[in-house]
Amino acid sequence: MSGNGLAGRLLAGDRRALARVISKIEREDPEVHEIVREIYPHTGSAMSLGFTGPPGVGKSSVISHLIQLYRAEDRRVGVVSVDPSSPFSKGAILGDRIRLSDHFLDSGVFIRSMGSRGHLGGLAAGSRLAALAMDASGCDVVIYETVGVGQGEVEVASAADVVVLCLQPGAGDAVQALKAGVMEVADVFCINKADHPQAKGAASEVRSILEIGHELDPEAPIPPIIMTRGDTGEGVGELREVVREHRKEMEAGGRLEARRRASLREFVVSWATDRLEKELHRRLGRDDPEIMEKVYRRELDPISAAEKIFRDV
Amino acid sequence: MSGNGLAGRLLAGDRRALARVISKIEREDPEVHEIVREIYPHTGSAMSLGFTGPPGVGKSSVISHLIQLYRAEDRRVGVVSVDPSSPFSKGAILGDRIRLSDHFLDSGVFIRSMGSRGHLGGLAAGSRLAALAMDASGCDVVIYETVGVGQGEVEVASAADVVVLCLQPGAGDAVQALKAGVMEVADVFCINKADHPQAKGAASEVRSILEIGHELDPEAPIPPIIMTRGDTGEGVGELREVVREHRKEMEAGGRLEARRRASLREFVVSWATDRLEKELHRRLGRDDPEIMEKVYRRELDPISAAEKIFRDV
């Protein structure tokens, strides 16, 4: 089957075509370029949400309840779940997909896990393309779920219109997220496990940190903090409302378009950079060319080698 | 003062020159290239250690005791501590440096924190250059300390001869580290807070995970697991011995050289890639050129834009 036919079926809302396209994206199939060319004009209407936070805070449960609410409004939902690669499990150790399985039989919900291929630029780009494919296939809402709080996760989540940072009480998560630079990209905070005895304390901790940030930079708004319970769904309705409101405000103020532009620019830069990186690894990795031998023998410093290689490419 | 003079003073072991060179590395001063060219032939003799693991496990305390042991052998020690950037603190929120302050008055110890400049390739390259500078200035041991368990931290730590992954009991850290792909780069495991009631359980958990990995890939050795106490220094002597042994084995088997070669290759690739990325951001970021406008208007897909830009550069 030609790439064209596949793109056409995806645009018609065919789930199997969507699944196949995302598989092609994952294995970096050369057909992807042609498919993206075809589907891209039909993207841009979906609302995208980034859910990020450390493992174990219950992001998937919150997302699962959120999907139910969107489904009740008859909106189609796509989820791109990004797991950092693991040498043993390739992500299979995660229980998240099991919790999300409630929705596996609903044809209005499309959930896809993407494994990291080692390189983060590649991961961010791949998840971004998967989200574009979901958008083109008719999803009204696309959710990026990322596990962990590292720079790579920030990159993935920050491609979304609205970023929700999920934390749980009592784990010092806020400080960890702060260190990793995640808090600065979060539009909305979700403190899950609201029934935990330290839940209110966690919310005040987050609020204090955000207020310090606001004092340092009065331009930075203080994001709303919502308390949820992933087990019962409590608070998830409020979360949906706050996200909707936030996106509406961003749209009215032009910030949504600015963010989407920045995100597309980021994609273009990282795709081109990734191309160069792969090209360089191919050239340098095979059998240590003379220039790397010189670096190993300390006859040439690594910056000079990099500059020479950069100019040669 | 010319870059030449500074490099000369650094090579003579002048601490202030070393500090100034690392500051130049941090702010990407154009003089850095010339300085690296001068100092690079005098590097390669230091042993480097990567310490990584989640925040709060007590890495700094363990490192602090390790420094004492190395100092007792009259070896000079450099520490490059890498904190992910934070919008509020730029890393200043961390208590790690306070705990390391025991050594601030010892002229045989040089500790330097490096803030992330947002881009991880840049961070890994910067910390690598700082370590080279420490090596050139006469440090016998260079320790990379990274906070958190993300791909970026893995990149920084894996530039070292030997990578130590620090975990603590009862936090599910092993599973988190596994997910983030950190366990595959660890040569030695350190379970800190050995007095914790769950310490033995944590060690068995890690051992089970490692044994599964070994079954899946019999080539993968099972790394040693050392129990330490950062508060008393218990076990740190054993950690030092295990690290020494491990490095000796790697050296004998040729794996040390292979790792150092791979790490230099990685540096060269990431430096060249970073150059391209900066160049692209400069070109695309300023005032949205026509090509990005086409992408925003959905007239051109982002992959075609990236390919065109890649070819044009």
Side-chain angles (χ1 to χ4, degrees):
Chain A
M1 173 175 307
S2 79
N4 288 355
L6 198 55
R9 289 202 288 124
L10 182 150
L11 289 171
D14 180 336
R15 288 168 66 86
R16 286 184 55 204
L18 175 57
R20 283 193 55 194
V21 166
I22 297 178
S23 298
K24 282 175 190 289
I25 291 167
E26 275 210 298
R27 55 171 192 267
E28 303 182 22
D29 187 310
E31 265 182 52
V32 166
H33 186 171
E34 183 51 38
I35 294 170
V36 169
R37 203 193 322 250
E38 270 193 76
I39 68 174
Y40 183 63
H42 307 278
T43 61
S45 55
M47 163 173 103
S48 59
L49 293 181
F51 266 80
T52 192
V57 301
K59 285 182 299 296
S60 303
S61 319
V62 173
I63 291 172
S64 197
H65 285 286
L66 200 57
I67 291 174
Q68 275 174 26
L69 297 177
Y70 288 132
R71 290 301 296 142
E73 297 173 343
D74 209 26
R75 301 169 84 182
R76 295 183 66 189
V77 183
V79 179
V80 185
S81 177
V82 172
D83 313 336
S85 75
S86 139
F88 308 139
S89 66
K90 299 290 172 205
I93 226 169
L94 293 172
D96 295 334
R97 268 158 298 175
I98 296 160
R99 288 195 297 276
L100 286 167
S101 64
D102 304 350
H103 301 288
F104 276 154
L105 297 175
D106 177 351
S107 70
V109 179
F110 190 92
I111 295 170
R112 182 63 179 251
S113 283
M114 295 193 78
S116 162
R117 299 275 146 157
H119 189 263
L120 286 169
L123 176 61
S127 58
R128 183 64 204 270
L129 289 179
L132 279 180
M134 289 178 180
D135 181 350
S137 83
C139 289
D140 305 294
V141 179
V142 175
I143 298 173
Y144 297 91
E145 182 194 29
T146 69
V147 196
V149 285
Q151 196 61 37
E153 288 72 38
V154 172
E155 269 177 52
V156 172
S158 61
D161 295 343
V162 179
V163 178
V164 180
L165 175 57
C166 288
L167 300 171
Q168 66 177 330
D173 280 345
V175 174
Q176 187 174 347
L178 180 65
K179 286 183 190 173
V182 181
M183 284 182 88
E184 67 193 300
V185 301
D187 300 297
V188 176
F189 282 75
C190 164
I191 311 281
N192 197 32
K193 306 185 186 175
D195 55 322
H196 189 285
Q198 292 173 40
K200 281 189 182 157
S204 340
E205 189 192 348
V206 169
R207 193 166 288 115
S208 316
I209 293 175
L210 292 171
E211 280 167 359
I212 296 167
H214 182 67
E215 275 169 33
L216 292 175
D217 175 11
E219 299 272 298
I222 299 183
I225 302 171
I226 314 299
M227 314 288 284
T228 58
R229 281 187 63 176
D231 53 350
T232 62
E234 207 180 307
V236 180
E238 193 191 347
L239 180 64
R240 177 193 52 175
E241 281 316 305
V242 164
V243 164
R244 202 197 308 256
E245 269 311 303
H246 187 86
R247 190 168 177 281
K248 216 155 71 182
E249 276 171 34
M250 282 180 72
E251 198 163 9
R255 280 189 298 139
L256 184 63
E257 202 195 330
R259 182 176 289 191
R260 286 182 160 203
R261 283 179 168 234
S263 156
L264 279 168
R265 200 162 55 224
E266 200 51 61
F267 176 91
V268 168
V269 169
S270 72
W271 187 274
T273 311
D274 202 46
R275 275 291 305 271
L276 177 72
E277 190 172 345
K278 290 204 174 81
E279 172 68 22
L280 292 181
H281 270 295
R282 200 181 56 76
R283 288 199 193 187
L284 297 183
R286 210 172 294 157
D287 39 16
D288 288 335
E290 186 54 30
I291 191 164
M292 286 310 301
E293 281 300 328
K294 281 188 183 164
V295 175
Y296 304 144
R297 292 196 302 261
R298 313 260 153 189
E299 293 164 17
L300 181 71
D301 73 275
I303 297 181
S304 298
E307 294 288 338
K308 186 169 169 5
I309 287 164
F310 178 66
R311 280 194 307 271
D312 288 356
V313 168
Chain B
M1 175 177 301
S2 77
N4 289 355
L6 197 55
R9 290 203 286 124
L10 183 150
L11 290 170
D14 180 335
R15 288 167 66 85
R16 285 184 56 202
L18 175 57
R20 282 193 56 194
V21 166
I22 297 177
S23 297
K24 282 176 189 288
I25 290 167
E26 274 211 297
R27 56 172 191 266
E28 303 182 22
D29 187 313
E31 267 181 49
V32 166
H33 187 172
E34 183 52 37
I35 295 170
V36 169
R37 202 192 323 251
E38 271 194 75
I39 67 174
Y40 183 64
H42 307 279
T43 62
S45 55
M47 163 173 102
S48 59
L49 294 181
F51 266 80
T52 192
V57 301
K59 284 182 299 297
S60 303
S61 319
V62 174
I63 291 172
S64 197
H65 284 287
L66 200 58
I67 291 174
Q68 274 176 27
L69 297 177
Y70 288 132
R71 290 301 294 143
E73 296 172 344
D74 208 25
R75 300 170 82 182
R76 294 183 65 189
V77 183
V79 179
V80 184
S81 177
V82 172
D83 313 336
S85 74
S86 141
F88 309 140
S89 65
K90 299 289 172 207
I93 226 169
L94 293 172
D96 294 334
R97 266 158 299 176
I98 297 161
R99 288 195 297 275
L100 285 167
S101 64
D102 304 350
H103 302 288
F104 276 154
L105 297 175
D106 177 350
S107 70
V109 180
F110 190 92
I111 294 170
R112 181 62 178 251
S113 284
M114 296 194 78
S116 161
R117 301 274 146 158
H119 188 262
L120 287 168
L123 176 61
S127 57
R128 184 64 204 270
L129 290 178
L132 279 180
M134 288 177 180
D135 181 350
S137 84
C139 288
D140 304 294
V141 179
V142 175
I143 298 174
Y144 296 91
E145 181 193 29
T146 69
V147 195
V149 284
Q151 196 60 39
E153 288 72 38
V154 173
E155 270 178 53
V156 171
S158 61
D161 295 343
V162 179
V163 178
V164 180
L165 175 57
C166 288
L167 299 171
Q168 66 177 329
D173 280 345
V175 175
Q176 186 173 347
L178 180 65
K179 286 183 191 174
V182 181
M183 284 181 88
E184 67 192 300
V185 301
D187 301 295
V188 176
F189 281 75
C190 164
I191 311 281
N192 197 33
K193 305 186 187 175
D195 54 322
H196 189 285
Q198 292 172 42
K200 280 187 184 158
S204 341
E205 189 192 348
V206 168
R207 192 166 289 114
S208 316
I209 293 175
L210 292 171
E211 279 167 0
I212 296 168
H214 181 67
E215 275 169 34
L216 292 175
D217 175 11
E219 299 271 298
I222 299 183
I225 302 171
I226 314 298
M227 313 289 284
T228 58
R229 282 186 63 174
D231 52 350
T232 62
E234 207 179 307
V236 180
E238 193 191 346
L239 180 64
R240 178 193 52 175
E241 280 317 305
V242 165
V243 164
R244 201 196 310 257
E245 269 311 304
H246 187 86
R247 191 167 176 281
K248 214 156 71 183
E249 276 171 35
M250 282 180 72
E251 199 164 9
R255 280 188 298 139
L256 184 63
E257 200 195 332
R259 182 177 289 194
R260 285 181 161 205
R261 283 179 167 234
S263 156
L264 279 168
R265 201 163 55 225
E266 200 52 59
F267 176 90
V268 168
V269 169
S270 72
W271 186 275
T273 311
D274 201 47
R275 274 291 304 271
L276 177 72
E277 190 174 345
K278 289 203 175 79
E279 173 67 20
L280 292 182
H281 271 294
R282 200 181 56 76
R283 288 200 193 187
L284 296 184
R286 210 172 293 157
D287 39 18
D288 288 334
E290 186 54 29
I291 191 166
M292 285 311 299
E293 281 299 328
K294 281 189 185 164
V295 175
Y296 304 145
R297 292 196 301 260
R298 313 260 152 188
E299 293 163 16
L300 181 70
D301 74 274
I303 297 181
S304 298
E307 294 289 336
K308 186 170 169 5
I309 287 165
F310 178 67
R311 280 194 307 272
D312 288 356
V313 168

